[in-house]
């Protein structure tokens, strides 16, 4: 899975304050020399050769090339001086046996969709890969054979079903067609299923990643007419990883659920299709003309349906266990071997996977080779460094989750941080993660040179935010970002993490700090995302010519790893985390007010029959479902916990800045013992409502957003969904987690003060 670049959402600005970091703005001379030697070993041309080899054939789970790549990566790590091995897990991974999608009645019938992508002239990889590429397919849909009328549901998100209700259109017993975008892929068939649909089709509209955005491939980077987006639709908002082994590693001896018991597997058949094929299906529809915001860029009048012909949808899969090959490499620490810096990227793809994920994988390999070179020259990290190349990320974070669940006790005892990357491209620095590391991330970004401009990657991002703010139509948020972006006394704020890549199990289940890093925003690969055309030719021509940003990613993450492995004192600044939590608390309080106001306004309009009066009498329509009563919530426990957190964080940061440099080694060891597992106190064993696998009270993927983060999720989602009793419960639970965190910071401050 590739993170879409969301710079405005991921970055804002906040004051540095009076407290300086324990790590200086620039690394000390020894570290600077070490990083210069590290940089000198990063070779973009070599990385390009690696990408061509790794993306030579399809790399989906169970493919011969996926296993061959894992074995090659293992051999490279060993050659570079790493202690490396492969861990194998056996997971439920369905592969397609047969798929059918056809229009069997109405305008345009008969019509049969093309469920394999044609090669592109001049693109040798697409020609070579087509023979063994997966066809149009989404993993963990529900097999079935159905024939039913079609209904168009825009992006297939909750608000779209509310709009269908207002139009008097039901999807019960129908096949739903939605377009990609607006929310995570897996929510589209899940919500269709929840509303009674018997099947789901997902297509890529040219408005979102086709000819309306750029010239189509091969002239430009955008999706060609017969390209489509594969992916997973497992309900990862319940839990990621193997559907049959939630909470435990998928080893050969693991106790497994039956497929029927696995709640993350959907029940209705689902297929992705191209916009060329979707045009025929959509043109067959009658019913309401779609609202303006639902209309894409196809040369048709978009209708909601039904009223067209019947659609026949059939999917049959092989539901056997398949092996995963996780490659694990270790450089043992010389002084603190039981503190681990963990770095990961995945090597499986939906087809060739050049941009997603192998552009990030070659960065990881370049880092590993350079670290091996430093090792051979006499350097040894103080802490243990663990490099991981995951398998099975694309079907739903399989390899990383199974390894985390298998080694959970050891990771909780030794893990300091997990640093992730995924797909990478040309453009702007992008980071998210545990916000106590935000100043550390800013310092690293200030020391990495942007290959296109020569400025630091942090300064280039500052400039971009300022320019966006100055453009006509800039939002108020963008204007505020632009106002502070040019102020050198302020940091860029790293945003929270939801899901969509391999950090999830570490941050949200085990309670390890996490940082997710990448570049992008220029020459985007979204147009070939999860398609046959995400290959070496496309990546080297449009996404990162010369592989210079893939090399920049290696230099960025390499610095993070080296500094974290060798630092004598914590680099975290807990005031930044406390400030973020304070902002999130204010947001949920305002959200509660908004929901109460919405309920009152709706009740007034229902009583006055406003919805009937506002409707077109020549069209079917309906009133919305009345909102439940929205009581005032008592946020006092959360407010008190935030105040305590801010006080404890500020006191610790000040104490470390004042006394840290002179802290004796025994005290540093005691401090590490408190700081290393600190994020684990943000976990609650109860987990989140409906999904106890997610235990972090601060960060989670949204139940109805998927990849996007929800902060203070137990409270926020309960308010959003008008579960006000749950909101009260999770105000208390979240406050308890924050109070426990503050107490640990007080303990750490006592160590710094010599108590």
């Amino acid at each position: 899975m590739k993170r879409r670049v969301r710079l405005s959402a991921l970055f804002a600005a906040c004051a540095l304050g009076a407290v300086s970091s324990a790590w200086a703005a620039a690394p000390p001379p020894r570290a600077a020399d070490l990083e210069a030697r590290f940089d000198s070993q990063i070779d973009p041309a070599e990385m390009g050769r690696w990408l061509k080899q790794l993306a030579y054939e399809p790399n989906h789970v169970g493919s011969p090339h996926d296993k061959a790549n894992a074995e090659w990566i293992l051999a490279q790590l060993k050659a570079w001086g790493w202690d490396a091995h492969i861990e194998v897990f056996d997971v439920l991974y369905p592969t397609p046996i047969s798929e059918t999608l056809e229009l069997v009645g109405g305008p345009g019938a008969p019509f049969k969709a093309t469920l394999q992508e044609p090669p592109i002239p001049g693109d040798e990889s697409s020609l070579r890969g087509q023979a063994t590429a997966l066809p149009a397919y989404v993993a963990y849909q529900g097999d079935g054979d159905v024939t039913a009328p079609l209904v168009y549901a825009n992006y297939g998100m909750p608000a779209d079903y509310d709009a269908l209700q207002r139009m008097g259109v039901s999807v019960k017993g129908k096949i739903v067609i939605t377009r990609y975008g607006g929310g995570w892929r897996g929510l589209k068939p899940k919500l269709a299923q929840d509303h009674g649909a018997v099947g789901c089709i997902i297509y890529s509209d040219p408005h979102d990643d086709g000819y309306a955005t750029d010239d189509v491939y091969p002239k430009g980077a955008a999706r060609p007419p017969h390209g489509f987006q594969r992916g997973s639709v497992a309900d990862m908002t319940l839990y990621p990883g193997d559907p049959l082994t939630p909470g435990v590693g998928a080893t050969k001896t693991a106790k497994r659920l039956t497929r029927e018991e696995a709640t993350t597997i959907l029940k209705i058949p689902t297929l992705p299709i191209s916009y060329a094929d979707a045009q025929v299906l959509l043109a067959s529809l009658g019913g309401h003309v779609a609202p303006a915001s639902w209309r894409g860029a196809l040369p048709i009048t978009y209708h909601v349906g039904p009223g067209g012909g019947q659609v026949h949808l059939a999917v049959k899969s092989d539901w056997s266990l398949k092996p995963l090959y996780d490659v694990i490499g270790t450089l043992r620490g010389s002084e603190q071997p039981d503190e681990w810096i963990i770095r990961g990227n995945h090597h499986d793809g939906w087809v060739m996977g050049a941009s997603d994920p192998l552009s990030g994988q070659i960065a990881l390999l370049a880092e590993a080779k350079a670290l091996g070179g430093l090792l051979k020259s006499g350097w040894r990290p103080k802490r243990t460094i663990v490099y991981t190349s995951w398998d099975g990320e694309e079907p739903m974070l399989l390899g990383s989750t199974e390894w985390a669940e298998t080694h959970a006790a050891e990771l909780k005892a030794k893990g300091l941080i997990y640093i992730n990357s995924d797909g990478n491209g040309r453009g702007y620095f992008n980071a998210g993660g545990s916000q106590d590391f935000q100043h550390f991330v800013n310092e690293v970004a200030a020391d990495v040179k942007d290959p296109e401009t020569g400025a630091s990657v942090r300064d280039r991002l500052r400039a971009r935010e300022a320019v966006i703010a100055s453009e006509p139509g800039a939002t108020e948020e963008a204007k505020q970002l632009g106002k502070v972006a040019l102020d050198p006394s302020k940091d860029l704020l790293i945003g929270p993490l939801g899901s969509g890549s391999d950090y999830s199990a570490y941050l949200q289940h085990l309670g390890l700090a996490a940082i997710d890093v990448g570049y992008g925003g220029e020459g985007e690969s979204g147009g070939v995302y999860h398609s046959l055309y995400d290959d070496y030719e496309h990546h080297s021509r449009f996404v990162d010519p010369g592989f210079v940003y893939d090399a920049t990613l290696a230099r960025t993450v390499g610095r993070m790893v080296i500094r974290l492995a060798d630092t004598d004192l914590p680099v975290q600044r807990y005031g930044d985390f406390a400030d973020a939590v304070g902002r999130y608390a204010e947001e949920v309080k305002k959200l509660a007010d908004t929901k109460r106001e919405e309920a009152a306004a709706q009740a007034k309009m229902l009583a006055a029959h406003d919805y009937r009066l506002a409707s077109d009498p020549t069209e079917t329509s309906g009133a919305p479902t009345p909102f439940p009563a929205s009581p005032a919530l008592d946020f006092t426990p959360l407010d008190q916990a935030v105040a305590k957190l801010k006080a404890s964080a500020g006191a610790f940061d000040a104490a470390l800045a004042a006394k840290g440099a002179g802290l004796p080694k025994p005290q540093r060891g005691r401090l590490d013992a408190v700081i290393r597992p600190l994020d684990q106190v943000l976990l609650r064993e109860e987990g989140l409502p409906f999904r106890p696998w997610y235990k972090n009270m601060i960060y989670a993927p949204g139940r109805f957003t998927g990849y996007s983060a929800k902060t203070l999720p137990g409270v926020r989602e309960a308010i959003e969904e008008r579960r006000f009793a749950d909101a009260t419960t999770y105000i208390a639970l979240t406050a308890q987690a924050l109070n426990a965190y503050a107490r640990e910071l007080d303990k750490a401050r006592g160590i710094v003060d010599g108590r």
Side-chain angles (χ1 to χ4, degrees), residues 318-474:
D318 168 15
W319 289 89
S320 61
L321 298 183
K322 308 292 192 308
L324 299 178
Y325 303 98
D326 286 346
V327 187
I328 312 296
T330 303
L331 295 180
R332 182 174 173 81
S334 60
E335 296 182 14
Q336 294 147 281
D338 289 338
E339 294 187 7
W340 292 2
I341 312 300
I342 307 160
R343 158 77 169 112
N345 200 98
H346 69 102
H347 61 255
D348 68 295
W350 277 111
V351 193
M352 314 302 230
S355 293
D356 177 20
L358 295 174
S359 56
Q361 180 64 40
I362 60 174
L364 181 147
L365 290 172
E367 298 157 31
K369 182 178 181 181
L371 290 171
L374 295 180
L375 191 74
K376 291 175 183 177
S377 70
W379 169 79
R380 182 169 292 277
K382 294 178 181 179
R383 292 176 178 81
T384 294
I385 299 172
V386 181
Y387 264 48
T388 58
S389 179
W390 307 119
D391 199 359
E393 188 267 4
E394 295 293 0
M396 195 41 64
L397 318 182
L398 300 179
S400 58
T401 301
E402 300 315 311
W403 193 77
E405 292 174 339
T406 299
H407 299 280
E410 189 173 24
L411 286 164
K412 285 187 173 184
K414 299 177 180 179
L416 175 63
I417 191 169
Y418 174 75
I419 304 174
N420 188 70
S421 64
D422 203 319
N424 193 61
R426 181 169 65 91
Y428 307 95
F429 177 64
N430 192 335
S434 301
Q435 286 145 321
D436 44 316
F437 283 90
Q438 89 179 8
H439 186 59
F440 170 74
V441 170
N442 272 262
E443 289 182 329
V444 169
D447 291 338
V448 177
K449 182 181 291 187
D450 177 71
E452 290 182 321
T453 66
S456 75
V457 298
R458 186 177 69 172
D459 286 347
R460 190 176 187 214
L461 180 57
R462 286 188 188 279
R464 184 176 194 250
E465 295 291 355
V467 169
I468 290 173
S470 70
E471 293 175 346

Side-chain angles (χ1 to χ4, degrees), residues 447-503:
D447 291 338
V448 177
K449 182 181 291 187
D450 177 71
E452 290 182 321
T453 66
S456 75
V457 298
R458 186 177 69 172
D459 286 347
R460 190 176 187 214
L461 180 57
R462 286 188 188 279
R464 184 176 194 250
E465 295 291 355
V467 169
I468 290 173
S470 70
E471 293 175 346
T475 64
E476 285 304 312
E477 179 187 10
K479 290 176 182 178
Q480 288 300 314
L481 291 175
K483 182 177 179 181
V484 298
L486 296 178
D487 186 342
S489 70
K490 296 182 179 181
D491 267 346
L492 297 167
L493 173 69
I494 65 172
L497 293 176
S499 190
S501 200
D502 288 307
Y503 50 77

